Amino acid sequence: MKDQPNDRLHPIESNYMAGAAVVGFLLMLLLTGGSLFAAFGALALIGGIGWIAHRLFC
């Protein structure tokens, strides 16, 4: 993904949110007894919120 003004690549929008998404994935996997559906939902939710926050505030 490229920024419009300076054309720099940003493969991961926020390293902290990517880490939080992985931790949320593993935590949800642990809490639900191995439900991948819930774990991938948490991963997508946290990753999506991080992407939106980065786009709005940076």
Side-chain angles (χ1 to χ4, degrees), residues 1-21 44 46-58:
M1 186 172 291
K2 292 185 177 183
D3 279 344
Q4 303 305 340
N6 56 8
D7 287 334
R8 292 186 323 172
L9 287 174
H10 293 288
I12 297 176
E13 295 292 332
S14 171
N15 291 334
Y16 295 115
M17 287 308 278
I46 296 169
I49 290 171
W51 181 80
I52 290 169
H54 183 78
R55 286 292 177 188
L56 287 177
F57 300 120
C58 292

Side-chain angles (χ1 to χ4, degrees), residues 23-46:
V23 168
F25 174 82
L26 294 174
L27 186 63
M28 189 60 67
L29 206 61
L30 180 70
L31 292 176
T32 60
S35 172
L36 286 175
F37 187 74
F40 279 118
L43 179 81
L45 184 66
I46 296 169

